[in-house]
């Protein structure tokens, strides 16, 4: 496995090894088994794999969140060296390498970035689109692998690729969960022990929603979720929506749904100071 920090080094590597365009796994580091499952999936499908580790400042709407985002570069490299092959590489650029000047680009994804995370984290998806497009320009991958935990991000990146990078296949990978059901996330490292102990309730609540979705109206599902989450000490619900899996429009009534669409129950909450998200596919009829 090689480690590069500059665009020039990546270009030089491509000249030397004459491999096919790589499969790409973009990350912000603080790697866990969920990231490794994306890397393994890329390795099974691609001759060469690139992983980026870059904590992207432009996607943090809260400067404190950016400051406290876990950074564990040595552990990350050691985990990756256990799975990556000789020509595979890790790209760990500096902020100046990614943003030589201020990135003033404004992306508009229509309704996709105006709901759920987009409403609660203004500017977040603009920052994600800025960094992902920069990384796509540098890495020039044939495919890119993203986890379904960040379901809205995945949908927006598919749209970015459809508009601007039609040659890059976006591969959606299933959510990896801890034994108690908590979706794996770099943020889990920051949970207080008492919050971590209770965090399995999030997935149990989503499974509860999936189990009752056929019989209940959307507002009943919402009450069920807000009730359950409010009973967990230290937890605070930010939103719960049942959204169309294609255009992400949140539903108000089951009568708005169509038979040929997929629906997802999406949740965001605070466990103490740590913001967590999760989702589950549900059938409403
Ligand atoms: O999902 C993430 O870790 C980040 O949003 C991404 C896609 C690496 C862009 O910074």
């Amino acid at each position: 496995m090689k480690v590069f920090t500059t665009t020039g080094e990546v270009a030089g590597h491509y000249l030397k090894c004459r491999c096919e365009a790589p499969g790409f796994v973009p990350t912000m580091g603080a790697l866990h088994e969920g990231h490794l499952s994306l890397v393994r999936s890329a390795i099974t499908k691609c001759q060469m794999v690139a992983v980026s580790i870059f904590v992207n400042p432009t996607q943090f709407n809260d400067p404190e969140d950016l400051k406290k985002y876990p950074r564990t570069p040595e552990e990350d490299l050691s985990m990756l060296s256990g799975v990556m092959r000789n020509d595979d590489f890790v790209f760990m650029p500096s902020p100046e390498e990614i943003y030589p000047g201020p990135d003033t680009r404004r992306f508009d994804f229509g309704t996709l970035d105006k709901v759920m995370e987009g409403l609660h984290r203004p500017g977040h998806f603009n920052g994600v689109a800025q960094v992902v497009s920069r990384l796509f320009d540098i890495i020039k991958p044939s495919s890119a692998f993203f986890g379904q935990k960040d379901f809205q991000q995945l949908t927006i990146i598919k749209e970015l690729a459809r508009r601007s990078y039609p040659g890059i296949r976006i591969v959606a990978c299933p959510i990896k969960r801890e034994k108690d059901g908590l979706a794996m996330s770099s943020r889990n490292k920051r949970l207080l022990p008492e919050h971590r102990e209770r965090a399995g309730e999030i997935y149990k609540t989503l499974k509860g929603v999936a189990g009752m979705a056929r019989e209940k109206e959307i507002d009943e599902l919402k009450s069920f979720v807000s009730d359950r989450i409010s009973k967990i000490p230290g937890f605070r619900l930010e939103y719960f929506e049942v959204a169309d899996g294609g255009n992400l429009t949140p539903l108000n009534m089951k009568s708005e749904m169509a038979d040929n669409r997929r629906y997802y129950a999406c949740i965001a909450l605070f466990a103490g100071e740590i913001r967590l998200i999760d989702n589950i596919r549900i059938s409403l009829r």
Side-chain angles (χ1 to χ4, degrees):
M1 164 185 111
K2 316 274 189 290
V3 180
F4 302 133
T5 55
T6 66
T7 309
E9 286 171 323
V10 172
H13 180 59
Y14 290 163
L15 279 179
K16 239 193 259 160
C17 78
R18 298 210 189 113
C19 284
E20 289 170 4
F24 178 40
V25 182
T27 83
M28 296 206 296
L31 301 183
H32 49 70
E33 194 44 46
H35 293 112
L36 287 191
S37 75
L38 301 182
V39 177
R40 285 197 194 96
S41 175
I43 283 174
T44 58
K45 295 183 177 72
C46 309
Q47 226 185 61
M48 184 186 2
V49 168
V51 174
S52 65
I53 297 179
F54 178 66
V55 181
N56 171 38
T58 71
Q59 71 187 71
F60 285 82
N61 52 318
D62 173 0
E64 266 312 286
D65 195 22
L66 170 61
K67 214 159 77 192
K68 292 186 178 153
Y69 199 84
R71 289 159 172 91
T72 56
E74 280 94 31
E75 286 96 317
D76 293 347
L77 288 177
S78 138
M79 281 169 89
L80 290 172
S81 67
V83 290
M84 291 175 82
R85 301 156 301 182
N86 196 35
D87 280 338
D88 295 336
F89 68 91
V90 185
F91 181 52
M92 299 174 88
S94 65
E96 296 72 36
E97 189 71 21
I98 295 294
Y99 301 115
D103 191 338
T104 53
R105 291 174 298 162
R106 290 288 164 265
F107 294 81
D108 185 350
F109 295 102
T111 55
L112 299 183
D113 59 349
K114 313 281 183 305
V115 295
M116 299 192 288
E117 293 300 283
L119 266 186
H120 290 88
R121 301 184 68 190
H124 169 65
F125 287 121
N126 199 66
V128 170
Q130 285 175 340
V131 76
V132 169
S133 62
R134 261 304 274 153
L135 290 166
F136 280 179
D137 289 340
I138 295 168
I139 306 288
K140 303 186 193 343
S142 55
S143 51
F145 295 72
F146 293 88
Q148 279 169 327
K149 180 177 75 68
D150 298 296
F151 179 68
Q152 189 169 7
Q153 167 173 282
L154 171 66
T155 310
I156 286 171
I157 288 168
K158 279 185 186 160
E159 178 59 15
L160 174 72
R162 192 189 65 78
R163 287 183 194 173
S164 308
Y165 300 91
I168 301 178
R169 190 164 70 96
I170 304 300
V171 184
C173 300
I175 300 175
K176 279 279 182 188
R177 297 186 179 280
E178 303 289 353
K179 277 206 185 75
D180 65 353
L182 176 65
M184 289 187 184
S185 162
S186 304
R187 290 173 193 272
N188 296 352
K189 291 193 171 97
R190 293 182 51 214
L191 288 169
L192 294 175
E194 63 268 32
H195 294 154
R196 174 63 195 88
E197 231 169 69
R198 299 167 194 145
E201 274 303 308
I202 303 168
Y203 185 51
K204 286 201 190 98
T205 303
L206 288 181
K207 283 213 298 202
V209 168
M212 60 204 273
R214 283 178 205 275
E215 289 93 58
K216 303 284 184 195
E217 250 311 332
I218 306 292
D219 57 352
E220 293 174 298
L221 298 177
K222 287 190 171 180
S223 306
F224 168 76
V225 171
S226 75
D227 221 53
R228 289 261 310 229
I229 300 300
S230 68
K231 291 201 172 94
I232 312 174
F235 283 40
R236 179 169 62 79
L237 182 65
E238 189 165 64
Y239 68 76
F240 168 77
E241 299 287 359
V242 176
D244 180 304
N247 58 32
L248 301 183
T249 308
L251 294 184
N252 294 309
M253 307 275 292
K254 275 171 140 181
S255 55
E256 294 164 20
M257 60 180 289
D259 284 333
N260 58 347
R261 319 253 339 152
R262 292 177 169 193
Y263 294 92
Y264 290 80
C266 303
I267 193 170
L269 54 77
F270 282 91
E273 283 184 2
I274 311 305
R275 191 172 182 279
L276 301 173
I277 59 173
D278 201 351
N279 67 81
I280 194 168
R281 186 167 167 203
I282 58 174
S283 299
L284 291 162
R285 282 211 276 247

